[in-house]
Amino acid sequence: MTPLPPVVGAQEIANRDDIVLCDVRWYLDGRSGHEAYLAGHIPGAIWVNLDEHLSAHGAPAHGRHPLPGAESFAASLGSLGIGPDDPVVAYDDLNGTAAGRMVWMLRVLGHDAALLDGGLGSWTGSTETAPNARAACERPVRAWPEGAFVDIDGAAGAGASPEVVLIDARGGDRYRGETEPVDPRPGHIPGAVNVPTTDNLGPEGQFADPETLRARYEAEGVETPASAAAKSVGNNAVVYCGSGVSACMDALAMERAGLGRPQVYIGSWSQWSHTDRPAETV
């Protein structure tokens, strides 16, 4: 079948029985994503734990959601029963804020994956409460590709470079330093521009059309890759957020717009704010 685009609608997958549906609900306020899953999910969907399956664990200086090692991620996918040839569609109930992390991780590894546009709210069919589990499988390890993301030094360099667009995907109040609900200090990385993830969505919580998204990012200096073959990698943007989760949704938005895939600063503000590096609050 044709590979999945970065974002798909519910109707586009309604008649496909080969897709593994993944419920990736997670909440910054500490609510249980698993309890939400058990209260009602799309039939057949398995639950994916963002903290356990899509993140590593370390000191606060590494950020709140570091990227897991390649071996660890392969083991998690195998434990979930997601084989190397299983197409994945992930969703949450926050319009993709959490589920986008899984989709981005899979897509940079060359795995067929998409985000359900509008998330659980776009699903008009029935739901179920019984949990689902797939048989564990062998999952080959795929190394994270060089250039898919940057570290803290790369983020600093992006902010200082006139050739790179460093994008802060958080809300404007956090970008400007007016509020900081979870990290040690307010502000943003010097040189970053603010393109909030939520502004990529329409009033129904679904992504804007590709042309609108393209115009948003081009207005900030994001450039189309030089060749059609490069459209899934290598544009001139680096994107970050609070902890490297919702920024992945921005990356999918750029890919949807035909602008290629930016690099993601996984440590994001949760890492930067634990250091003595400078911050801007404007």
Side-chain angles (χ1 to χ4, degrees):
M1 287 192 176
T2 303
L4 291 166
V7 180
V8 295
Q11 294 302 316
E12 297 174 68
I13 62 169
N15 298 317
R16 290 188 58 170
D17 58 7
D18 60 328
I19 286 174
V20 180
L21 280 168
C22 294
D23 187 311
V24 198
R25 276 182 274 184
W26 177 88
Y27 305 103
L28 187 62
D29 61 12
R31 285 177 291 152
S32 170
H34 191 239
E35 288 183 5
Y37 168 80
L38 294 176
H41 52 267
I42 297 175
I46 60 174
W47 186 64
V48 177
N49 187 328
L50 185 145
D51 291 312
E52 178 182 342
H53 300 126
L54 308 179
S55 306
H57 302 281
H62 296 149
R64 281 181 277 119
H65 292 105
L67 202 66
E71 296 82 1
S72 176
F73 187 45
S76 289
L77 292 173
S79 71
L80 291 166
I82 300 174
D85 299 318
D86 292 326
V88 169
V89 172
Y91 71 90
D92 53 40
D93 58 2
L94 296 173
N95 304 318
T97 302
R101 166 78 168 232
M102 181 177 194
V103 174
W104 175 82
M105 290 169 69
L106 290 170
R107 288 182 72 86
V108 298
L109 292 177
H111 190 110
D112 199 15
L115 183 67
L116 181 61
D117 198 10
L120 184 60
S122 71
W123 184 256
T124 59
S126 62
T127 59
E128 64 180 10
T129 57
N132 297 298
R134 295 170 59 86
C137 64
E138 290 293 323
R139 177 80 192 200
V141 176
R142 293 181 182 174
W144 295 114
E146 185 176 352
F149 48 87
V150 301
D151 60 14
I152 193 168
D153 291 328
S161 172
E163 299 177 354
V164 181
V165 183
L166 179 62
I167 294 174
D168 187 317
R170 298 174 299 164
D173 55 346
R174 291 184 70 189
Y175 169 82
R176 293 186 296 271
E178 296 166 3
T179 183
E180 182 44 67
V182 288
D183 291 318
R185 57 193 174 109
H188 61 266
I189 298 172
V193 297
N194 188 212
V195 187
T197 294
T198 52
D199 289 354
N200 289 329
L201 307 174
E204 301 299 320
Q206 296 177 320
F207 274 84
D209 61 75
E211 293 75 19
T212 299
L213 294 172
R214 185 185 185 92
R216 283 194 77 214
Y217 289 106
E218 286 185 335
E220 299 296 345
V222 178
E223 298 175 352
T224 307
S227 69
K231 284 193 176 181
S232 63
V233 293
N235 69 22
N236 65 325
V238 173
V239 62
Y240 75 93
C241 57
S243 67
V245 175
S246 62
C248 297
M249 190 177 162
D250 254 31
L252 297 177
M254 283 185 233
E255 194 177 349
R256 172 178 169 83
L259 287 168
R261 187 181 296 141
Q263 295 177 298
V264 175
Y265 169 33
I266 298 294
S268 285
W269 189 249
S270 63
Q271 180 183 41
W272 189 279
S273 61
H274 273 92
T275 72
D276 59 0
R277 292 173 183 254
E280 293 180 342
T281 54
V282 294

